[in-house]
Amino acid sequence: MTPPIDWKVTARDGEARAGVLRTRRSVIETPIFMPVGTQGTVKGVRFEWLENELDARIILGNTYHLFLRPGPEIIRKIGGLHRFTSWQRSLLTDSGGFQVFSLSDLRKLSEDGVEFRSHLDGSRQFLSPEISMDIQAALGSEIVMVFDECAPGDAGLDTTRSSMEMTARWAERSKKRFDELQLQQMDTGYVEGIFELSGRQALFGIIQGAGHLQLRAESLQRTAEIGFDGYAIGGLSVGEKKSVMYDVLDFLAPKMPPGSPRYLMGVGTPEDLLEAIGSGVDMFDCVLPTRNGRTGGAFTSRGKINIRNARFADDEGPLDPGCSCSVCSRYSLGYLRHLYQTGEMAAAIMISHHNLAFFLATTRGARAAIVSGTFNEFRKRFLAGLENNDADLV
Amino acid sequence: MTPPIDWKVTARDGEARAGVLRTRRSVIETPIFMPVGTQGTVKGVRFEWLENELDARIILGNTYHLFLRPGPEIIRKIGGLHRFTSWQRSLLTDSGGFQVFSLSDLRKLSEDGVEFRSHLDGSRQFLSPEISMDIQAALGSEIVMVFDECAPGDAGLDTTRSSMEMTARWAERSKKRFDELQLQQMDTGYVEGIFELSGRQALFGIIQGAGHLQLRAESLQRTAEIGFDGYAIGGLSVGEKKSVMYDVLDFLAPKMPPGSPRYLMGVGTPEDLLEAIGSGVDMFDCVLPTRNGRTGGAFTSRGKINIRNARFADDEGPLDPGCSCSVCSRYSLGYLRHLYQTGEMAAAIMISHHNLAFFLATTRGARAAIVSGTFNEFRKRFLAGLENNDADLV
C-alpha cells in the first residue's frame, strides 16, 4: 500500500541519524525542530517569517486548544486547519492527551476516555481515542498522534504500568478509528496525486512508561506491534530528573523501529535536543522558544540570557553574535531590552523569532555534523559555547 | 542658508496639495500619514514590514515616553534614536507638550515649563521648551516640534487665549534653544553632505487656539512671524465636536504659509484625513490604526469592522476586499477572529498591519487624485464606500 509519508536515513553518525521526511505537503530534513502553533499560529511570529526566513517546514497544532476554540465543526466547514490558517506546509497535531493530563484537578479518567472541564469556561468536555482521531481528521494535519495517557514523571511502577497499558489499548482504538476515517475520506487535508505517497494522513504511536525502562521496552513492543508510520516518545520532561530523561533516551531510542522517524514530544532545551539526537531521535517540538521569548528569555550560542538585565541597557551588540537571523542582524540588546521594559509586544515578537531561529539552526547544525561524521565534536563545541555564559546572564 | 528640509508642491486641486518633502533621510510624498512609534517601535509591526511592504517613509517618536524610558542620556550615548532603534528613514518627534497636557491631574504649569509626575512611577519630572529641544536633539529626529501648551477642546475664550499666548512665548524659546543646539552640533542625527540640504534638524511651529477662529488666526500670525520650517495645527481632536474641527481646518489651513508643509497633529479617522487634505493639510499622525488594531477594530473601505463579531467566525473573506496588503491577501476574517478570541498577539499584529496599510493607501489615493485633479470625486467615492457599512459591523 502506498504510504502517507516517506522517511529515509541519509547519514548516520553513531546512533545519530540524518534523514529526509516527505509528507504530502513538504520535505523535511531531520533532525528537525518543529515550532509550536498551539492555536493555529506560532505565538508572535507571522507565517511569512516562518516560511521566508526561518524556513520551518512543519509546525504543530494542538487538538485540545483547537477543539475548544474555534471547534472542529468550524474548521471542518472551512476545509481544515491549513485552509483556516493559510499555513500550507506540514502540520503535526498532538492528540489532546497531554493537555488533558495537565489539567489533573479538572479531569476524570476512565477506560472510555477523559472527562474534563475546559480551562476556559469550566464546561464539561470529553475526549477519547475516537474523538481525538475525529478532530485530527477535521484538522487535516499531515501527522496525527494517537490519544495517550501520560503518567506523572514521579509516578511509581504500578501507576505507570496501568497508564502505559491504557495507552497501549488506546493506541489500538486510535489506529482503528484512524483507519476508518481515512477510508471514509474524513481527512480534510487529503491531497491527490502525490508521487509515491497516498496523500492521506500519517499516524504516529506514542511510547510511555516514564522512567521505568522495562515499561518503556514493553510499551515500545506493544506500540510497534500495532504498527504506525512513526513513533514518539511521550512522558518525558514532565517533572522527572534530567538524568532519568537521558537514560530513557539512551535506552529507548536505539531500539525504536529504525526505518521510521522518532519523535521526542515536548522536549526541550538546545542541550536536550543534542542529547536526544545523539541517541537517535529525529523530531522535536517545544514551547520554550516562544514561551521564553515572551518573558524576555533568549537562547544563544553563549547560553541563555535574560533581556531584562540592566547591563544590556546601552549594549549595541546583538542577542547572539553567532546568529544570522533578521533580529540579530539588525536589533541591539539595548533596544530589545527597552522594548521589553516598556511593555512593547515587539520584544516578544523579536525574541521569539530569534529563539526559533536558534532552535532551527541547532537541528540544522546537528544534521550537517551527522552528514560529515562530526556529530560528537559538534555537540562538544556547542555545549562548551553555552558554558561561556556569564553567571549573571542566566 | 541651506534649509534642513525641502518641500515643493507638485499639484493642486482646490485647496488640496500634492507635494514632495525631502528630509536628510527620506523622500516623502504628501499628503502623508505617519505611523506612530511612541516608544521607538510601531506597536506590533516590525520595521521590516514598514519598510518593505507598507513603505512608510517617516514615523513618529514621542519625547515624553522616550524621556522617561530609556531616557535621553542612553539614547545620546548610543548616538540617537535612529541608531538605537535601527530605523533609518525619517523620524518626527513631538515635544512632549501634548502628553503632559493629557496628565492634567499630575501636572503644574508655570511660565517656565511644566512640572509633572511620571505616569510610570510618580516621580517628579520637569519639561520646558529648552529641555524638550535638548531631548529632541539627543533623539536626532528629522523634524522637531516646538514645546506647546494645548488647551482642552471645551475651554473658554480666556483660558484658550492664555494658553495660546503661552504657546507663542514657548515657541520663541523653543526656536532660540533649537538654534543654539544646532550651532553646538548637539543633534545626534546630523548627516553630512546632502545635496541642497543642511543635514540638520527641522523645527515645526504649532498653532493653537482650540475652536476660536480669531485665536487661531492670531496664533498663526505669531507662529509664522517667528518662522519655522513647517507648521502644525495642534489642539484638535481633543474633545471638541467634529464640526468644530472641520471649521477650524477650513478656516486655518488655507491661511498657513503656502510654501511650507502643514501638519495636523494626532488626527484622525480616514474621513478626517480626507476632510483635512481637502482644506490643504499635508501631514498626519494618529494612534488609531495600531490602537484599534490591538482591540480588534479594523478600518476598511466598507467602514470600520469589529473582528469580535460572531458572524465572522467562518468567514473566509479578507478584512477588506479592497485592500492588497499582506494580511488581506492571505488571512481570513474567520482566522483573524479566532486569533483575537483566543488572545493571540497575532491578531493585534495583523489588524494593526492592515490598518496602517489602509491609512497609507488612503493618503496615497488622495495624492493620486489631487495629481489627476479628481480629489473631490475620490473623496465622495471613498466616503460613500464607508457608508456601505452594515450597521452591525460597526
Side-chain angles (χ1 to χ4, degrees):
Chain A
M1 216 173 71
T2 323
I5 58 170
D6 176 69
W7 185 75
K8 286 192 175 66
V9 174
T10 54
R12 283 175 204 278
D13 185 357
E15 291 295 340
R17 314 159 353 143
V20 177
L21 173 64
R22 217 174 125 238
T23 77
R24 60 191 180 187
R25 287 187 178 259
S26 58
V27 174
I28 301 148
E29 297 193 322
T30 62
I32 187 68
F33 178 78
M34 304 181 283
V36 177
T38 303
Q39 303 190 114
T41 181
V42 175
K43 288 187 195 301
V45 182
R46 281 179 61 168
F47 287 157
E48 290 87 342
W49 291 110
L50 287 168
E51 293 160 352
N52 302 335
E53 183 192 324
L54 303 175
D55 198 18
R57 305 288 179 91
I58 178 167
I59 64 174
L60 255 73
N62 281 109
T63 289
Y64 170 81
H65 292 90
L66 295 165
F67 170 59
L68 296 180
R69 293 188 303 198
E73 303 77 18
I74 282 192
I75 294 182
R76 177 170 290 286
K77 182 175 171 195
I78 284 171
L81 193 56
H82 290 96
R83 188 166 173 132
F84 182 60
T85 63
S86 83
W87 176 258
Q88 295 305 325
R89 299 182 178 186
S90 295
L91 284 168
L92 182 151
T93 44
D94 69 359
S95 66
F98 183 76
Q99 265 83 22
V100 172
F101 151 80
S102 312
L103 300 170
S104 48
D105 291 346
L106 302 166
R107 71 190 165 92
K108 212 173 100 190
L109 188 72
S110 70
E111 184 66 31
D112 198 26
V114 190
E115 193 182 282
F116 62 98
R117 290 188 178 275
S118 157
H119 73 286
L120 298 171
D121 59 7
S123 63
R124 205 177 293 267
Q125 305 285 347
F126 185 73
L127 277 178
S128 67
E130 290 76 17
I131 296 172
S132 174
M133 296 303 109
D134 291 353
I135 299 168
Q136 292 182 75
L139 298 177
S141 50
E142 279 53 59
I143 300 177
V144 168
M145 301 303 300
V146 298
F147 191 73
D148 60 329
E149 212 237 320
C150 176
D154 56 1
L157 190 66
D158 289 351
T159 308
T160 309
R161 166 168 290 283
S162 313
S163 168
M164 181 274 283
E165 289 178 344
M166 177 86 95
T167 290
R169 293 191 297 274
W170 283 2
E172 284 187 46
R173 282 168 53 191
S174 294
K175 177 77 161 23
K176 180 160 176 284
R177 181 67 183 160
F178 174 85
D179 287 342
E180 290 165 6
L181 289 163
Q182 300 303 310
L183 280 176
Q184 296 162 7
Q185 304 190 310
M186 291 298 286
D187 157 28
T188 59
Y190 176 65
V191 180
E192 214 177 335
I194 302 183
F195 181 69
E196 288 188 343
L197 296 183
S198 66
R200 300 191 185 278
Q201 296 182 292
L203 182 63
F204 279 28
I206 302 178
I207 300 158
Q208 291 287 0
H212 306 281
L213 299 186
Q214 73 279 29
L215 295 183
R216 287 284 179 180
E218 196 178 328
S219 182
L220 166 58
Q221 194 200 337
R222 294 179 67 162
T223 311
E225 271 170 12
I226 300 170
F228 292 97
D229 302 304
Y231 296 89
I233 305 171
L236 288 183
S237 205
V238 292
E240 80 285 2
K241 283 190 195 152
K242 206 120 207 171
S243 61
V244 172
M245 172 163 87
Y246 290 173
D247 286 348
V248 170
L249 290 173
D250 276 349
F251 170 80
L252 185 63
K255 297 185 175 56
M256 290 167 72
S260 302
R262 300 165 180 164
Y263 163 31
L264 176 56
M265 301 184 78
V267 177
T269 63
E271 300 91 307
D272 294 340
L273 265 53
L274 293 187
E275 181 70 27
I277 289 168
S279 302
V281 174
D282 309 300
M283 301 167 68
F284 302 91
D285 79 282
C286 192
V287 296
L288 277 182
T290 45
R291 178 171 294 167
N292 286 19
R294 292 198 297 288
T295 54
F299 292 90
T300 83
S301 57
R302 298 189 294 192
K304 274 175 68 180
I305 65 177
N306 190 322
I307 200 67
R308 285 168 293 186
N309 195 312
R311 65 184 271 184
F312 297 139
D314 60 357
D315 194 323
E316 293 201 66
L319 277 177
D320 186 354
C323 178
S324 60
C325 83
S326 59
V327 173
C328 289
S329 307
R330 174 163 185 168
Y331 301 102
S332 69
L333 283 160
Y335 179 55
L336 294 170
R337 177 177 186 273
H338 164 70
L339 295 176
Y340 189 86
Q341 296 295 105
T342 56
E344 290 285 351
M345 70 178 119
I349 291 170
M350 298 210 276
I351 301 174
S352 296
H353 180 115
H354 160 75
N355 283 346
L356 288 174
F358 185 75
F359 274 62
L360 284 160
T362 300
T363 51
R364 268 187 210 112
R367 186 177 201 279
I370 295 165
V371 170
S372 64
T374 57
F375 177 71
N376 278 330
E377 292 83 332
F378 172 82
R379 172 160 52 166
K380 256 181 235 159
R381 211 169 47 243
F382 186 97
L383 296 176
L386 301 184
E387 287 169 12
N388 287 337
N389 194 356
D390 296 304
D392 66 341
L393 292 184
V394 183
Chain B
M1 217 173 73
T2 323
I5 58 169
D6 176 69
W7 185 75
K8 286 193 176 63
V9 175
T10 54
R12 283 175 203 280
D13 186 357
E15 292 294 342
R17 314 159 353 144
V20 177
L21 174 64
R22 219 174 124 238
T23 76
R24 61 189 179 188
R25 286 189 179 260
S26 59
V27 174
I28 301 149
E29 297 193 323
T30 62
I32 187 70
F33 177 79
M34 302 181 284
V36 177
T38 302
Q39 303 190 115
T41 181
V42 174
K43 289 186 193 300
V45 182
R46 278 179 63 168
F47 287 155
E48 289 87 344
W49 291 110
L50 287 168
E51 293 160 352
N52 301 335
E53 182 192 324
L54 304 174
D55 198 17
R57 305 288 179 93
I58 178 167
I59 65 174
L60 256 71
N62 282 108
T63 290
Y64 170 82
H65 292 89
L66 295 165
F67 169 58
L68 295 180
R69 291 188 302 198
E73 302 74 22
I74 281 191
I75 294 184
R76 176 170 290 285
K77 182 176 172 194
I78 284 172
L81 193 56
H82 289 97
R83 187 164 174 135
F84 182 60
T85 64
S86 83
W87 175 258
Q88 295 304 325
R89 299 182 179 187
S90 294
L91 286 168
L92 182 152
T93 44
D94 70 358
S95 65
F98 182 76
Q99 264 83 20
V100 172
F101 151 81
S102 313
L103 300 170
S104 48
D105 291 344
L106 302 168
R107 71 189 164 91
K108 211 173 101 190
L109 188 71
S110 69
E111 184 66 32
D112 197 28
V114 191
E115 192 181 283
F116 63 98
R117 289 188 178 276
S118 157
H119 74 286
L120 297 170
D121 59 7
S123 62
R124 203 178 293 269
Q125 303 286 348
F126 185 72
L127 276 179
S128 67
E130 291 74 18
I131 295 171
S132 175
M133 296 304 108
D134 291 351
I135 299 168
Q136 293 182 74
L139 298 177
S141 49
E142 278 53 60
I143 300 178
V144 168
M145 301 304 298
V146 298
F147 191 71
D148 61 329
E149 212 239 317
C150 175
D154 56 0
L157 190 66
D158 289 351
T159 308
T160 309
R161 167 168 289 283
S162 313
S163 168
M164 180 275 282
E165 289 178 345
M166 177 86 96
T167 290
R169 292 191 298 274
W170 284 1
E172 285 187 44
R173 283 168 53 191
S174 293
K175 177 80 158 26
K176 179 159 177 283
R177 180 68 182 162
F178 174 84
D179 287 341
E180 289 165 5
L181 289 163
Q182 300 303 309
L183 279 177
Q184 295 162 8
Q185 304 190 310
M186 291 298 286
D187 156 30
T188 58
Y190 176 66
V191 181
E192 214 177 336
I194 302 182
F195 181 67
E196 287 187 342
L197 296 183
S198 66
R200 300 190 187 277
Q201 295 181 291
L203 181 64
F204 278 26
I206 303 178
I207 300 160
Q208 291 286 0
H212 306 283
L213 300 186
Q214 71 279 29
L215 294 184
R216 286 284 180 182
E218 195 178 328
S219 182
L220 166 57
Q221 194 199 334
R222 294 179 69 162
T223 310
E225 271 170 11
I226 301 170
F228 291 98
D229 301 306
Y231 296 89
I233 305 172
L236 287 182
S237 207
V238 291
E240 80 286 0
K241 283 189 193 151
K242 206 122 207 172
S243 61
V244 171
M245 174 164 87
Y246 290 173
D247 286 347
V248 170
L249 290 173
D250 276 349
F251 169 80
L252 184 64
K255 296 185 176 55
M256 291 166 71
S260 301
R262 300 166 181 162
Y263 162 32
L264 175 57
M265 300 183 80
V267 177
T269 64
E271 300 92 308
D272 295 339
L273 265 52
L274 292 186
E275 181 69 27
I277 290 169
S279 303
V281 173
D282 309 300
M283 301 166 70
F284 303 90
D285 79 283
C286 193
V287 296
L288 277 180
T290 45
R291 179 171 294 168
N292 286 19
R294 290 197 300 284
T295 55
F299 292 90
T300 83
S301 57
R302 299 190 293 192
K304 274 176 69 180
I305 65 178
N306 190 323
I307 199 68
R308 285 167 295 186
N309 196 312
R311 65 184 272 185
F312 297 139
D314 60 358
D315 193 325
E316 292 202 65
L319 277 178
D320 186 354
C323 177
S324 60
C325 83
S326 60
V327 173
C328 290
S329 308
R330 174 163 186 168
Y331 301 102
S332 69
L333 283 159
Y335 179 55
L336 293 170
R337 176 177 188 275
H338 164 71
L339 295 176
Y340 189 86
Q341 296 296 104
T342 54
E344 290 285 351
M345 70 179 121
I349 291 170
M350 297 211 276
I351 302 174
S352 296
H353 181 115
H354 160 76
N355 284 346
L356 288 175
F358 185 74
F359 274 62
L360 284 160
T362 300
T363 51
R364 267 186 213 114
R367 187 179 202 277
I370 295 166
V371 169
S372 64
T374 58
F375 178 69
N376 279 329
E377 293 84 331
F378 173 81
R379 172 159 54 167
K380 257 180 236 161
R381 208 170 50 243
F382 186 96
L383 295 175
L386 300 185
E387 286 168 11
N388 286 337
N389 193 354
D390 297 302
D392 68 339
L393 291 184
V394 182

